[in-house]
Amino acid sequence: MTPPTSADHGHPTTDSTSGKFHDPKTIRIRPADFNDARDVATVRRLVQGFAHVSNVTLSPSVQDTVAPFLGRRAAFVLLAEDLGSENDTKKPETVAMLIAQRILSSFEAGERINIHDLYVIPEAQGRGIGRRMLSVCADHARALGCSDLTLEVAGDNAAARSLYRTFGFDVPEGEVPEGSVLYGKCPLS
């Protein structure tokens, strides 16, 4: 089953680094097409960007193979495109990515969706795109009959923890031990 697409609605903002106007009304969320070389390159670029902000160095072989690997293994990858942006290829700028997998829940004798990565480029953060991607992911999970969403988040990532908590994940508030990775679950009922 292919994940649905969606438009994100919110307040228009300007990208402070490039001067680009990012109007949340022009954001479209769609599944990545791993048969499209541009989507493969986009996923590779966004994974590298996410690794960079996570202080992770990807080996050259991982950089070369991550997108094809995800195309074979991930349940789905969502891309958020700014349809109002212009670039050299006349394709919309991709500003966010969500990678998720369908996994088993032995205690519920069912399935759930595990969100492996959610990355919004720094210039597009704070515009509701991450929340919209979570919503599209949840809609897709419900359509598949999944009971909930799960994820892990770095304890020091306060912005992500806040987003996940307000979306319905049971991620703790407040201080956590340094280096903590927190597990969160969000029921879909």
Side-chain angles (χ1 to χ4, degrees), residues 6-60:
S6 175
D8 190 14
H9 301 286
H11 304 289
T13 56
T14 302
D15 173 342
S16 61
T17 59
S18 69
K20 288 184 183 176
F21 185 70
H22 288 283
D23 185 347
K25 293 177 188 166
T26 65
I27 299 296
R28 174 181 66 185
I29 299 172
R30 66 170 181 83
D33 177 359
F34 287 98
N35 293 316
D36 181 331
R38 290 174 295 204
D39 276 8
V40 169
T42 295
V43 169
R44 181 181 299 121
R45 177 181 57 81
L46 291 172
V47 169
Q48 289 171 340
F50 185 49
H52 176 75
V53 300
S54 301
N55 295 316
V56 173
T57 302
L58 300 178
S59 71

Side-chain angles (χ1 to χ4, degrees), residues 76-92:
F76 55 95
V77 176
L78 298 175
L79 299 175
E81 299 174 319
D82 184 347
L83 300 176
S85 68
E86 297 265 336
N87 61 31
D88 296 339
T89 64
K90 303 295 183 201
K91 292 278 290 177

Side-chain angles (χ1 to χ4, degrees), residues 19-171:
K20 288 184 183 176
F21 185 70
H22 288 283
D23 185 347
K25 293 177 188 166
T26 65
I27 299 296
R28 174 181 66 185
I29 299 172
R30 66 170 181 83
D33 177 359
F34 287 98
N35 293 316
D36 181 331
R38 290 174 295 204
D39 276 8
V40 169
T42 295
V43 169
R44 181 181 299 121
R45 177 181 57 81
L46 291 172
V47 169
Q48 289 171 340
F50 185 49
H52 176 75
V53 300
S54 301
N55 295 316
V56 173
T57 302
L58 300 178
S59 71
S61 67
V62 169
Q63 291 178 37
D64 291 342
T65 61
V66 67
F69 171 79
L70 291 171
R72 291 189 310 271
R73 302 286 185 208
F76 55 95
V77 176
L78 298 175
L79 299 175
E81 299 174 319
D82 184 347
L83 300 176
S85 68
E86 297 265 336
N87 61 31
D88 296 339
T89 64
K90 303 295 183 201
K91 292 278 290 177
E93 179 184 7
T94 304
V95 297
M97 169 186 69
L98 182 147
I99 300 171
Q101 293 178 301
R102 196 169 172 178
I103 62 172
L104 298 176
S105 171
S106 55
F107 294 143
E108 296 181 22
E111 294 180 311
R112 59 177 39 137
I113 295 293
N114 178 259
I115 298 170
H116 192 273
D117 296 320
L118 173 56
Y119 174 64
V120 179
I121 65 171
E123 300 82 23
Q125 291 176 6
R127 291 150 174 84
I129 296 168
R131 177 174 305 285
R132 192 69 203 121
M133 293 193 82
L134 290 172
S135 182
V136 171
C137 180
D139 290 346
H140 183 60
R142 283 185 198 94
L144 293 171
C146 295
S147 60
D148 50 45
L149 302 175
T150 62
L151 53 72
E152 293 176 346
V153 60
D156 65 353
N157 192 340
R161 287 172 56 197
S162 176
L163 168 63
Y164 298 145
R165 225 181 359 268
T166 61
F167 193 81
F169 285 89
D170 58 358
V171 176

